[in-house]
Amino acid sequence: MNSVRDQVLDQYNSRVYKNRKEHVLTKVDDKTEEIGANTRTIPGIMSQRGCCYAGCKGVVLGPIKDAVIIVHGPIGCSYYAWGTRRHKAEADERDGEQAKSYLEYCFSTDMQEADIVFGGEKKLRQAITEAMSIFDPTAIFICSTCPVGLIGDDIHAVARWAEEEYKIKCIGFSCEGYKGVSQSAGHHIANNQLIRYIIGTGDKKPKKQFTVNILGEYNIGGDGWEVEKLLKRCGIEVVSVFTGGSSYRDIKNSHFADLNLVQCHRSINYVADMMYDKYGIDWIKVNFIGVESCTTSLRSIGEYFGDEGLKRRIEEVIADEIVSTYDEMQFLKSRLKGKTAALYVGGSRSHHYQALLKDFGISTVLAGYEFAHRDDYEGREVIPTIKTDADSKNIESIQVEKDEKFYKVYLNDQQKEELKEKGVVLNYYEGMAKGMDEGAIICDDLNHFETEEFLRILKPDIFFSGIKDKFVAQKSGILSRQLHSYDYSGPYAGFQGAVIFGKDVLMGLSTPAWALIRAPWKQIPSLSGSLGGEE
Ligand code: CFM
C-alpha cells in the first residue's frame, strides 16, 4: 500500500504535486531529508499563513507595551492592531520608572481613497501629534501596510520628523504585507530595527550576577511570566524579554545581559545572531514547554554560568516544582498515555509541544509549520546550503559591527568546548525533525485539503492547531486544541503549565460531545482487502 504521504499527494494534478512533494516528508531513520520551506504558496491554495505586516506588528512588536504602535494603512489592516494575539502585559513601575501599557489600544491612520491618491504622510503626522497629545509616549513605532508601500509614503522621514518635533524615539517599520512569502519576513524586519535603534541605547545595568534575556517568548496566556518566575526563583535576573510583556524601557538595556535564551528560534534568531556579533552575547536554545525540557533548559543555564551556588539553587527549584506537580502529572499521564497527536502551528511550537506531549506518553504522528525555514526543520547546520530566492533577497539582511564599548567575552573557546562536552551547545538549534519518530509526517505550509486528508488517514486523537482549522477537525470527530491561543487557557510553560495543559487535553478528550458526533471515517470501513491471501 502507498505510504500515507503518497496517499494524500497522489490526489493532486502533476503541477501541484511537483510543488507539494518538496514540502511533505516522511521521517526515515535518523536521516533528515531536505524539506522545501519558506517559498511561495501556490495561489488559490488555502494556506494558513499570515502576511509580513502580521509578523512585524502582530507578533514581534505587538507585545512591547510602552510603545504606541501606529498602523499606517486602511482600517481593515488594523484587525492585527488590537487583541488578536493573546500576549499579555502589565503596566509596571521599576526603580521609579513607569512603563505604561498601550496594549488595550488600537492606533491606525485609517487611510481613505483620497490618502491613497494624494499621499498619506500628512495623515500620519497628524496621528503622531494626536497620540502625543493624548498618551505622551516615549516611543512610537510606525508599521506600514500594503498600500503605503505601493504609493511610496516615506514613513522613515516622518519618523525622523517626529523625533525632532517631540524628542521621542520614533521608528518606521517598512513591513508591507506583500513582502516575503509569509509573516516570517515581518519578524526579520522587526528584528533589524530593534538592533538598529533600540538594543544598546539604555544605560541601566542589571543588579544581579547572573543575567539573561529571554528571546522569542511572547507571553501567550502568561507563559513568559511563568518562565520569569522560575528564573527569578533560581536567582537569575531577566534583563529583557523579546518581547512578551516587555517594554521599550527594558529592551534598551538588553545588551547588558550575559546570556540570551532563545525560545522561539524562527521569530527572533536574527536578534540572537546580531547580539552575538555586536556584543559577544552567546545564546542557547531553550524550551520551557514540557517538564523534561524545562529541566534541561534550566540546567543548561546553570552550566553556562558554571557557578556551584547557582547550580544548587536550580536543582532545588527543579526538585520543588517536580514534587509539587508530581501527583497530578502521574494521574494525567495515566489517562493520556498512548494517545497520538498531530501538530500544525507557526514556526516553533510544533517542535516545543512534542516535548510536553512526550511527558504524557503522547506520540506525534504529524508535525508541521506554516512559515518555518529549513533550519527550523533540519537544524542550523543547513543554513549555508539554503538557496536564497528572489523573495528572501527582498528582505534586508543587516551586518552589524562589533561594539567596542560593550563587546564582552563571557566564555573563552576552551570553556565553550567543555560546555559542549556537557551537552550544552552554544549558538545552535538542532531543528524539529531530528527528534521525531520514524514514520512520522513532517509538513510545511499545510493546506486545508491536506489537513483533512491527513486527519482522515492518520486519525490522531488530538489535532493541535489554530482557529482556521479547529472546527474542521472537531466536526470530523477529532479533538482540536489551539496552540496559538491555548483556547484562552494557559499558561502552558513551566512545570505548573504542564499540568494545566494536561488537564485541558484530558478535559477535551473526555467531553461527552464526542458521543454525539458521527465522524465520517467511523461510518466507512477502515480496512480493505479480501479473503484468500489475494489483495
Ligand atoms: Fe514563534 Fe510565536 Fe510560533 Fe511565531 Fe505566530 Fe504565536 Fe505561533 Mo501563532 S512567534 S513562530 S508568528 S512561537 S503568533 S507566539 S503561536 S504562529 S508557533
Side-chain angles (χ1 to χ4, degrees):
M1 198 191 222
N2 275 349
S3 70
V4 173
R5 172 186 178 271
D6 293 345
Q7 284 177 58
V8 174
L9 298 188
D10 281 350
Q11 299 179 62
Y12 282 132
N13 64 36
S14 59
R15 204 175 65 87
V16 178
Y17 177 83
K18 194 164 162 263
N19 176 296
R20 291 300 301 157
K21 75 177 186 352
E22 314 283 333
H23 298 263
V24 183
L25 306 177
T26 309
K27 174 79 195 287
V28 186
D29 300 330
D30 277 342
K31 285 193 277 22
T32 310
E33 274 180 71
E34 182 175 328
I35 191 163
N38 192 33
T39 57
R40 285 186 193 189
T41 304
I42 305 170
I45 273 195
M46 296 270 278
S47 165
Q48 313 278 40
R49 286 171 157 180
C51 69
C52 175
Y53 153 72
C56 182
K57 162 65 185 84
V59 174
V60 178
L61 302 180
I64 302 175
K65 61 191 172 193
D66 59 350
V68 161
I69 309 178
I70 298 177
V71 175
H72 187 33
I75 197 65
C77 307
S78 286
Y79 175 74
Y80 273 114
W82 183 63
T84 41
R85 180 159 169 265
R86 288 188 68 222
H87 44 244
K88 296 160 171 262
E90 292 174 316
D92 60 340
E93 194 187 308
R94 213 171 306 147
D95 306 324
E97 215 187 314
Q98 176 78 24
K100 297 170 187 166
S101 175
Y102 303 113
L103 288 200
E104 301 300 315
Y105 294 96
C106 179
F107 303 92
S108 170
T109 52
D110 182 20
M111 282 175 97
Q112 304 288 323
E113 268 175 33
D115 305 313
I116 305 286
V117 175
F118 299 109
E121 288 177 25
K122 197 168 144 220
K123 208 165 189 192
L124 179 59
R125 275 197 212 101
Q126 265 169 12
I128 292 171
T129 304
E130 217 175 292
M132 286 310 300
S133 71
I134 301 171
F135 297 98
D136 192 28
T138 42
I140 291 182
F141 301 160
I142 305 161
C143 290
S144 295
T145 68
C146 296
V148 171
L150 296 175
I151 64 171
D153 274 0
D154 189 348
I155 60 162
H156 305 282
V158 176
R160 284 195 296 277
W161 163 83
E163 292 206 327
E164 195 57 32
E165 183 78 13
Y166 297 111
K167 309 292 172 239
I168 54 159
K169 177 69 85 181
C170 188
I171 307 169
F173 294 79
S174 291
C175 56
E176 292 84 358
Y178 56 73
K179 281 190 176 162
V181 298
S182 68
Q183 53 269 65
S184 170
H187 303 150
H188 198 163
I189 290 165
N191 282 216
N192 285 348
Q193 301 297 68
L194 290 179
I195 196 99
R196 241 185 206 137
Y197 298 115
I198 306 183
I199 298 165
T201 58
D203 54 11
K204 194 160 282 165
K205 292 196 174 136
K207 298 192 182 93
K208 295 212 169 132
Q209 190 185 354
F210 309 111
T211 54
V212 299
N213 297 310
I214 312 173
L215 270 53
E217 170 48 67
Y218 299 96
N219 204 24
I220 309 296
D223 275 355
W225 289 333
E226 199 62 28
V227 174
E228 273 191 78
K229 217 160 57 190
L230 271 178
L231 294 171
K232 271 184 196 149
R233 281 187 70 194
C234 298
I236 298 161
E237 181 173 347
V238 177
V239 180
S240 179
V241 183
F242 288 69
T243 55
S246 76
S247 56
Y248 163 69
R249 177 196 64 186
D250 291 340
I251 294 175
K252 281 193 297 187
N253 301 315
S254 54
H255 59 300
F256 288 120
D258 283 328
L259 177 66
N260 279 333
L261 311 176
V262 174
Q263 173 73 23
C264 168
H265 174 264
R266 181 65 267 135
S267 63
I268 208 86
N269 72 90
Y270 317 95
V271 161
D273 269 352
M274 290 189 279
M275 284 183 90
Y276 175 68
D277 291 342
K278 192 166 178 183
Y279 303 111
I281 305 173
D282 289 308
W283 60 270
I284 52 172
K285 177 70 184 74
V286 289
N287 179 16
F288 290 108
I289 301 293
V291 172
E292 276 294 318
S293 50
C294 231
T295 306
T296 315
S297 298
L298 288 172
R299 285 189 179 141
S300 305
I301 300 166
E303 291 297 345
Y304 181 82
F305 288 113
D307 180 86
E308 290 309 318
L310 176 67
K311 285 199 223 170
R312 207 170 37 245
R313 271 197 306 281
I314 287 174
E315 289 306 325
E316 282 163 12
V317 171
I318 293 171
D320 185 53
E321 292 283 341
I322 288 181
V323 167
S324 69
T325 52
Y326 188 80
D327 289 346
E328 282 179 301
M329 284 301 286
Q330 287 306 310
F331 166 72
L332 291 165
K333 208 186 278 182
S334 73
R335 300 291 298 273
L336 295 173
K337 198 163 180 269
K339 305 279 184 211
T340 57
L343 301 95
Y344 184 67
V345 209
S348 80
R349 294 189 168 191
S350 302
H351 184 195
H352 295 151
Y353 277 81
Q354 287 187 47
L356 178 52
L357 293 171
K358 247 184 214 155
D359 290 338
F360 292 110
I362 302 174
S363 55
T364 298
V365 292
L366 174 147
Y369 287 134
E370 291 173 31
F371 50 77
H373 299 202
R374 273 185 60 207
D375 39 323
D376 303 297
Y377 293 99
E378 301 169 55
R380 282 182 72 92
E381 58 273 32
V382 303
I383 290 179
T385 66
I386 296 179
K387 292 175 216 94
T388 38
D389 58 12
D391 291 305
S392 34
K393 275 189 199 139
N394 207 8
I395 309 302
E396 187 188 17
S397 179
I398 58 177
Q399 296 299 323
V400 292
E401 299 288 313
K402 207 183 226 185
D403 185 311
E404 294 302 339
K405 192 165 166 211
F406 294 116
Y407 192 88
K408 59 192 158 196
V409 177
Y410 196 86
L411 295 185
N412 60 34
D413 288 347
Q414 197 200 325
Q415 287 168 314
K416 284 184 185 176
E417 269 309 306
E418 286 165 17
L419 203 60
K420 201 173 178 181
E421 276 157 29
K422 289 178 185 157
V424 185
V425 189
L426 295 176
N427 315 323
Y428 174 71
Y429 174 43
E430 63 165 4
M432 176 176 80
K434 292 189 186 81
M436 288 181 67
D437 290 340
E438 178 152 2
I441 303 280
I442 302 169
C443 56
D444 176 72
D445 191 16
L446 194 73
N447 55 51
H448 276 206
F449 168 73
E450 288 165 17
T451 305
E452 287 179 32
E453 286 301 289
F454 277 121
L455 291 182
R456 182 179 64 78
I457 299 169
L458 293 168
K459 303 182 190 55
D461 294 298
I462 319 143
F463 179 45
F464 291 103
S465 185
I467 191 71
K468 295 170 214 156
D469 39 13
K470 179 184 174 79
F471 299 105
V472 172
Q474 298 215 147
K475 281 175 184 167
S476 71
I478 295 169
L479 168 68
S480 180
R481 296 283 311 169
Q482 294 183 66
L483 277 194
H484 304 257
S485 69
Y486 302 162
D487 286 303
Y488 318 104
S489 178
Y492 286 163
F495 300 84
Q496 314 286 335
V499 174
I500 300 173
F501 174 83
K503 282 182 183 170
D504 285 347
V505 172
L506 182 57
M507 195 165 60
L509 286 171
S510 318
T511 174
W514 301 124
L516 305 172
I517 291 177
R518 196 85 188 118
W521 47 265
K522 283 186 180 159
Q523 298 168 44
I524 45 169
S526 54
L527 279 178
S528 59
S530 59
L531 291 174
E534 303 240 345
E535 237 189 30

